[in-house]
Amino acid sequence: SQTIHQWPATLVQPVGSPLSLECTVEGTSNPNLYWYRQAAGRGLQLLFYSVGIGQISSEVPQNLSASRPQDRQFILSSKKLLLSDSGFYLCAWTGSSGANVLTFGAGSRLTVL
Amino acid sequence: SQKIEQNSEALNIQEGKTATLTCNYTNYSPAYLQWYRQDPGRGPVFLLLIRENEKEKRKERLKVTFDTTLKQSLFHITASQPADSATYLCALDDMRFGAGTRLTVKP
């Protein structure tokens, strides 16, 4: 069966520090991968999605970036965090064809101080 | 650009009643629409998917309707229970979500 792993679960970072969140999927190949952010009490904002290795689509201009170095690995990064980057980051995957539903990871809660 | 809205930020109902949540979208014609449940501190969990050529879909106490003319989907929970308390999110086929409706079912 397919599983999705996301880490770290929680982190507290100072403003201006770098960020790296990692997501891996097991039990499937060529998934579509997604990064979302959820601010406190708000909805899900789509940040990035990827349909293949090295293929990244960015939804909003900001100081975050994403990379997909391997088929089932998706990384969210920042060189310098802002206070506004605080939130709950969720990685998700779907199959690559047909009507697809999202399967989410457990999330990473980031607090920027 | 397309926009997806869930009209109610919060909905409070009594146990046993039917909860009805609304999802509207504009400037878009999705091939399908999805509903998810999210509990605090957790990722959303898929509930139902309804395609553009389907008027209604049911799963146990859940029912979803899809009106492509009104550009609206309704999500119903019948015989609601306190355990149904959660945030419910709708999403279009482009994987963009509405803001969600926080449902509270009171005993």
Side-chain angles (χ1 to χ4, degrees):
Chain A
S1 63
Q2 302 93 352
T3 55
I4 179 168
H5 303 281
Q6 191 179 337
W7 69 94
T10 307
L11 66 166
V12 180
Q13 296 285 102
V15 169
S17 65
L19 171 73
S20 181
L21 301 179
E22 190 162 341
C23 172
T24 59
V25 180
E26 295 177 356
T28 188
S29 59
N30 196 32
N32 293 336
L33 297 171
Y34 302 81
W35 278 112
Y36 291 87
R37 177 171 62 198
Q38 189 171 36
R42 306 290 294 274
L44 291 169
Q45 180 187 28
L46 179 61
L47 301 175
F48 301 94
Y49 66 93
S50 171
V51 298
I53 296 174
Q55 301 179 59
I56 308 294
S57 296
S58 174
E59 288 296 300
V60 289
Q62 55 199 347
N63 67 323
L64 299 173
S65 63
S67 62
R68 185 170 176 174
Q70 300 180 45
D71 181 46
R72 289 168 287 181
Q73 183 185 28
F74 205 23
I75 299 171
L76 182 70
S77 304
S78 174
K79 292 182 180 178
K80 289 186 178 182
L81 285 169
L82 306 172
L83 285 173
S84 58
D85 291 324
S86 293
F88 191 44
Y89 288 82
L90 288 156
C91 180
W93 74 275
T94 71
S96 55
S97 62
N100 289 302
V101 304
L102 289 156
T103 300
F104 285 86
S108 298
R109 186 164 301 283
L110 170 65
T111 303
V112 182
L113 302 175
Chain B
S1 63
Q2 55 96 297
K3 192 174 180 181
I4 181 167
E5 289 183 342
Q6 293 185 247
N7 293 1
S8 300
E9 187 174 316
L11 179 65
N12 298 315
I13 64 169
Q14 208 66 34
E15 182 176 7
K17 301 293 186 182
T18 296
T20 298
L21 285 62
T22 305
C23 178
N24 295 290
Y25 59 92
T26 57
N27 301 325
Y28 195 65
S29 296
Y32 56 88
L33 187 147
Q34 306 174 56
W35 284 89
Y36 291 77
R37 168 181 172 145
Q38 186 177 24
D39 292 292
R42 310 287 293 270
V45 174
F46 170 74
L47 295 175
L48 283 168
L49 180 150
I50 186 165
R51 300 176 188 276
E52 60 179 339
N53 61 347
E54 298 175 316
K55 295 295 184 185
E56 180 180 298
K57 203 125 187 223
R58 292 177 184 262
K59 179 183 176 182
E60 298 174 351
R61 295 184 293 111
L62 308 180
K63 184 178 83 171
V64 172
T65 63
F66 193 9
D67 189 325
T68 55
T69 301
L70 293 178
K71 294 187 181 293
Q72 180 181 81
S73 175
L74 299 179
F75 177 80
H76 307 272
I77 305 175
T78 58
S80 60
Q81 305 166 0
D84 294 326
S85 298
T87 296
Y88 292 86
L89 302 148
C90 64
L92 302 178
D93 60 359
D94 61 358
M95 306 306 168
R96 289 176 176 80
F97 283 79
T101 296
R102 187 174 65 253
L103 174 68
T104 302
V105 181
K106 300 182 178 180

